Amino acid sequence: VNDPLETQLTAIVFRPPKWLDVALVITFLATLMLFGLVSYAFATGIGVFGNNVPVAWAFPITNFVWWIGIGHAGTFISAFLLLLNQKWRASINRFAEAMTIFALMQAGLFPVLHLGRPWYAYWLVPYPSTMRVWPQFRSSLTWDVVAITTYFTISVLFWFLGLVPDLAVMRDRATTRRARIAYGIAALGWRGSAETWARHRSVYVVLGGIATPLVISVHSIVSMDFAIGIVPGWHSEIFPPFFVAGAIFSGFAMVLTLLLPVRRLYRLENVVTKYHLDMLGRMVLMTSLIVAFSYASELWNTARGHDVFEVHQNFYTRLRGPYAWAFWTTIVCNVCLPQSLWWKRARTSATFLFVLSLFIQVGMWLERFLIITGSLSQDFLPSSWHDYAPSFVDVLILAGTLGFFGFAFLVFLRFVPFIPIRELQAEARR
Amino acid sequence: MSQTFARFADPPALASAIRALRDRGLERIDAVTPFASEEVERALGPRPSRIPWLAGAAAAAGVVIAFEIIDWTNARDYALDVGGRPLHSVFADVPIMFETSILAAGLCAFFAFFVASRLPRLHHPWFEVDLDAFWLVVDARDVGPEVDALLREHGALETREVSS
């Protein structure tokens, strides 16, 4: 079978563009910076962060929630849209799944970094030890551990299962012996008998079916870290759906941030068409509306309630007080700017979507920062109120995770067929 | 045991050849396709996978295992009274039970797929043919002059014998 699409999609991996090496070096240096700073924080103690009492969560947990959220769109695209039989997912699902895996790698760092003694992180796992002490499962911290390890494991399995047939394409198309051996081992001897294909599809649907409720549960559990606390601005029933919508919103923005440059640089306009951009734009608009509704609902419920500290938190600290800058930037980025997507011209313009997606990243990060830092800095005891300022270590670690994320993603682009070849061929036959 | 491979131009031709052989009562038929083809799978007849049921059982086991771990660790082996709250609250278990059940189902489905497909197996007689094509695979003992003629009639481009 001589398929021009197959030739195109394997050639972009076998003959990588020149800019890729430069980008790999830059992001690798950023990754080294991250590891250096993490070592510094471990060796000195987490006092190097700007965290204080009462603002004990601050940057690390903001980054954690933000990175986890970014992962969610990948699973949403690959699992949810698979079950809904949305054909347009086929061009971008592997790309989005890889984004999920690498975002989770960044997210997983932060709770560990943030522990007072990070080298005891394994105490959160229920293993039989001579201390005869077990983790406390009534604490939401242990829920996080289970949720994130499960999410990471299932994401990797789902991604790899979909990848195996395409690794076999790479094996069969490889021209050098080294590539043939490497892809041959990775493809596990895939032969493509009709029975295997049928089984592959049924298992893929099973994994999609369990990944769909999983993705919703993960950010719900993350939101419960806040919602089961009584801190003003946190103790709210709307948090699970609010966090899930925000997660998918920021994740779709990250898909656009990554996809649009890759589409341009690899000349994939024939695979990732304007139609795909249109659909992604609609998803961003939809989730933006849910997020906007959640903001409004929080203010409404606070106004209808009688808790002076909730009222102070939501109507003073955030709207007019020390965090007003973050609140209004969030509103502009997450509520106002995405309204442009009602127009089809905005949804199909790659440049516009790219710029918009950057604003949404900033907006969603600030939203989490606002929830965490705003609430902690002004809670029930005015005598202990304290402002927060990040240290340079905080800022550079966030920058370092962006570099590490970019590095992992570029390695993925370099070695893995990142557009599903076999799936697109099957789709084209239909 | 050896198998006869017959190459076809596209999935419809392959599917019609499979149907013709099955009408003659041949059972040991398989096919190779570069990408998933529902047409070919339909022609081969339904072979429903039992993996979804297995994954369901694993999910149920995951719920039970999570519940038991929490109960043993927090309510029995290391009972810690936190402000008089119940030692084992089922509501607080829900997130962990759910996640464990998903994890068990996912791992089970994933590994069951590879076991059932007899993978990984890096060496296989089938690699003697170019698998990037549409092949009908039939047990060589079933192939006589009649079957050979039937294959050609349905558009077989070439036939090969592969011994394993």
Side-chain angles (χ1 to χ4, degrees), chain A residues 5 10 13 57 66 84 126 183 220 222 238 273 320 341 430:
Chain A
L5 184 71
T10 50
V13 181
W57 279 13
W66 186 67
L84 294 176
Y183 287 117
S220 298
V222 169
I238 203 178
T273 59
R320 288 171 288 155
L341 296 171
R430 231 168 257 156

Side-chain angles (χ1 to χ4, degrees), chain A residues 134-135 137-138 194 199 201 217, chain B residues 31 41 74 77 80 86 99 117:
Chain A
W134 295 103
F137 292 110
R138 282 171 293 182
R199 191 182 297 118
R201 188 169 46 243
S217 80
Chain B
E41 285 158 24
N74 285 176
D77 195 43
L80 186 67
E99 300 297 327
S117 309

